[in-house]
Amino acid sequence: MEEYENDFWGLRLEHCRKALEKNNFQVYIDQTVAHAELIFRQEIFPQLNVKTASWGDSLNMNSTDIMEYLKKNKAINVIETFAKNLPRDEIMERRRQAL
């Protein structure tokens, strides 16, 4: 059964990769979260000129230390849109800025 599940998700992932590449996205796929984070830090991030960052509650960002990595970088303004201690209108303004 596990082999079938791996085949199913492998096919889905390959379909997704092809669709993204067809729309001119550069795609990176890896088997482990740790190596995916390494790809981000060593290959993707250095190519970008990031001044401001935010995120839409991505599971990928939550399962890696990428957001912590960005927050620690003093050259990047991270717009926190999920802070629990802020009033709703402030959160909505930050989400607007993040767009």
Side-chain angles (χ1 to χ4, degrees), residues 40-56:
F40 172 79
R41 288 184 188 212
Q42 293 181 352
E43 296 183 38
I44 298 170
F45 189 71
Q47 296 179 37
L48 307 173
N49 185 20
V50 177
K51 303 262 190 273
T52 303
S54 189
W55 73 104

Side-chain angles (χ1 to χ4, degrees), residues 54-72:
S54 189
W55 73 104
D57 202 24
S58 164
L59 291 176
N60 292 330
M61 298 297 270
N62 288 328
S63 66
T64 65
D65 289 329
I66 291 174
M67 280 315 303
E68 292 307 312
Y69 174 74
L70 295 176
K71 287 178 182 179
K72 288 177 184 175

Side-chain angles (χ1 to χ4, degrees), residues 14-56:
E14 183 61 19
H15 177 74
C16 181
R17 181 190 64 78
K18 286 179 181 179
L20 288 167
E21 288 177 343
K22 183 178 178 182
N23 286 286
N24 298 315
F25 282 87
Q26 187 173 6
V27 179
Y28 297 86
I29 298 174
D30 203 280
Q31 297 295 319
T32 68
V33 171
H35 195 256
E37 183 179 348
L38 193 63
I39 290 171
F40 172 79
R41 288 184 188 212
Q42 293 181 352
E43 296 183 38
I44 298 170
F45 189 71
Q47 296 179 37
L48 307 173
N49 185 20
V50 177
K51 303 262 190 273
T52 303
S54 189
W55 73 104

